[in-house]
Amino acid sequence: MTVTWEELGWERVAAGVGRCRLPVWDCTTGLVVGEGAVLMIDAGSSPAEGARLREQARSLTGRRVTHLALTHPHFDHVFGVAAFTDAEVFGAVGVDTVLTRVRDREELRADAVRNGLAETTAQESADRLVPPRHLVSGEWTLDLGGGRQVLLANVGPGHTAHDLAVLVPGDPEVVFCGDLVEESGEPQAGPDAVPSHWPAALDRLLDLGGQDALYVPGHGAVVDAGFVRAQRDALAARFGVSP
């Protein structure tokens, strides 16, 4: 028997589309339900959290998660990927390198510990990372059945060198932005950010969704196009990027 989104602490954004704000880092994960397939967007911050998300998705839909899209390679979004070994995993080109190269995995582990994840959990999560099987260089359309198609778009670089957005057509259209957009705080630009390209990445998000779409940030509340445009202008000013 399925339950409602609200009973499990999820927010229903549109028909068959929801998201959950995870504890501790306020990281967003998303869910898109078709008649034949279920897409999860981002995997949480540990294998245990990923497993909870997987089971919640099954409770909500009555089916297993068949597809997983990773918006970018930061620990709070990818460390749960080991819980989805039976899903088709997608990411932007280059994410596979970050999740397999020893020095990149070590940096992910160290960053998780710096941000408060227990050392044993961070080490287990890093050790169990698996790269996406499907790498998106431009755009990739997923058919989830029942007329529901979802567009995966490599819109970066920006927040990282490997940013993937997810467009869910409908009324309203919904764009999952990853950490290219943040609502609950100023967008974070770490050592792997590409500030000179970040405003252009937000322009691509706006082109994808349009003026009337709902934009789901990597952290914080759902926003509109005006918020994304204002954040784009603020980032351009912050990093000295010309219009």
Side-chain angles (χ1 to χ4, degrees), residues 18-56:
R19 69 80 173 256
C20 183
R21 292 172 69 169
L22 301 175
V24 185
W25 295 284
D26 190 28
C27 176
T28 287
T29 190
L31 197 64
V32 184
V33 185
E35 286 189 6
V38 176
L39 167 68
M40 181 159 282
I41 301 158
D42 285 337
S45 60
S46 69
E49 187 164 67
R52 286 195 297 273
L53 291 169
R54 181 194 65 211
E55 293 310 309
Q56 287 180 354

Side-chain angles (χ1 to χ4, degrees), residues 5-23:
W5 299 93
E6 292 76 14
E7 286 175 310
L8 290 181
W10 286 66
E11 176 185 357
R12 183 181 179 274
V13 181
V17 184
R19 69 80 173 256
C20 183
R21 292 172 69 169
L22 301 175

Side-chain angles (χ1 to χ4, degrees), residues 190-213:
D192 58 345
V194 188
S196 62
H197 288 73
W198 200 334
L202 295 190
D203 285 336
R204 287 191 283 276
L205 284 181
L206 290 165
D207 288 341
L208 277 176
Q211 180 61 32
D212 298 325

Side-chain angles (χ1 to χ4, degrees), residues 9-179:
W10 286 66
E11 176 185 357
R12 183 181 179 274
V13 181
V17 184
R19 69 80 173 256
C20 183
R21 292 172 69 169
L22 301 175
V24 185
W25 295 284
D26 190 28
C27 176
T28 287
T29 190
L31 197 64
V32 184
V33 185
E35 286 189 6
V38 176
L39 167 68
M40 181 159 282
I41 301 158
D42 285 337
S45 60
S46 69
E49 187 164 67
R52 286 195 297 273
L53 291 169
R54 181 194 65 211
E55 293 310 309
Q56 287 180 354
R58 185 179 289 276
S59 296
L60 287 167
T61 68
R63 302 195 300 278
R64 71 177 181 88
V65 172
T66 55
H67 299 74
L68 172 67
L70 302 176
T71 62
H72 64 288
H74 283 169
F75 81 91
D76 48 338
H77 297 259
V78 303
F79 264 9
V81 70
F84 299 92
T85 55
D86 57 348
E88 297 292 328
V89 183
F90 295 77
V93 167
V95 167
D96 52 327
T97 299
V98 177
L99 299 190
T100 55
R101 190 161 53 192
V102 172
R103 69 172 181 267
D104 289 323
R105 290 168 78 127
E106 170 56 25
E107 177 52 36
L108 282 173
R109 185 206 64 78
D111 187 51
V113 172
R114 284 193 297 269
N115 280 278
L117 193 66
E119 290 221 22
T120 54
T121 302
Q123 188 65 61
E124 177 199 7
S125 302
D127 288 344
R128 295 179 63 189
L129 281 172
V130 292
R133 177 181 175 187
H134 307 288
L135 301 174
V136 182
S137 60
E139 296 181 349
W140 191 312
T141 299
L142 296 179
D143 187 348
L144 302 184
R148 165 147 279 170
Q149 293 188 325
V150 174
L151 182 70
L152 309 181
N154 186 335
V155 296
H159 176 65
T160 72
H162 318 293
D163 293 312
L164 189 75
V166 180
L167 169 67
V168 187
D171 186 15
E173 296 199 326
V174 180
V175 181
F176 287 89
C177 307
D179 286 4

